Amino acid sequence: MKNFLMIIAVMFLGVTAAFSQVDQVYVSWNSTECNCFDQGNSYYSVKVVIYDVANDMVVVEGTEAKVDFGTYNVYVDVPEANEHCANPNLPYTPNLKVMAGVAVMCDSYNPPEAVCNGYNELPNQACSDFDPYVQITVVIN
């Protein structure tokens, strides 16, 4: 009986871990600060948008992450993608377009202002492409 209960407990923990996964987008960009005279509060503003082309709907409207200078990548949690992909009522299999933008927000302006930015998109991403994450690279100009 103890072995049976142990097996059930292990299976329950495995199923819980599998369903608790949060989809992520890994965004990386080139190492530039765009000649920003950083006074200590400048940062990279990273924004991720996900659109389901097949079902004609926005999945993630614009999740933003603020990243300090000296760091050139970030994992952005997009739990809405997980929920969307698990929706059994969608008429079509999701065909996701993942879009990411990165802007250098310079604090030598008040309020901080974008002095340069970049954008990239990945079309035709399936829900399974988020396992473990979707990776996108942005070039800042």
Side-chain angles (χ1 to χ4, degrees):
M1 183 68 173
K2 287 182 181 179
N3 288 340
F4 178 72
L5 291 175
M6 183 63 81
I7 291 171
I8 296 297
V10 169
M11 287 177 54
F12 178 73
L13 288 174
V15 168
T16 303
F19 285 107
S20 67
Q21 175 186 345
V22 174
D23 288 341
Q24 294 182 316
V25 176
Y26 175 79
V27 183
S28 60
W29 55 92
N30 53 315
S31 58
T32 182
E33 295 175 3
C34 300
N35 298 317
C36 173
F37 182 64
D38 180 21
Q39 298 176 6
N41 293 317
S42 298
Y43 60 93
Y44 296 102
S45 174
V46 181
K47 195 168 209 178
V48 173
V49 175
I50 300 176
Y51 180 74
D52 183 350
V53 177
N55 294 292
D56 191 26
M57 58 180 35
V58 175
V59 178
V60 175
E61 288 190 47
T63 299
E64 183 179 16
K66 293 180 179 180
V67 181
D68 291 332
F69 277 8
T71 302
Y72 308 109
N73 56 62
V74 66
Y75 290 91
V76 180
D77 288 342
V78 287
E80 303 92 341
N82 212 21
E83 295 166 15
H84 181 75
C85 289
N87 184 348
N89 299 319
L90 292 173
Y92 304 105
T93 301
N95 176 6
L96 305 173
K97 182 192 304 186
V98 178
M99 299 161 276
V102 179
V104 175
M105 301 300 290
C106 189
D107 69 355
S108 58
Y109 299 94
N110 190 10
E113 186 176 304
V115 294
C116 61
N117 58 54
Y119 166 83
N120 196 7
E121 64 181 49
L122 295 174
N124 304 318
Q125 299 297 297
C127 291
S128 60
D129 292 333
F130 284 90
D131 185 19
Y133 53 83
V134 170
Q135 182 173 345
I136 187 168
T137 301
V138 176
V139 174
I140 300 173
N141 298 321

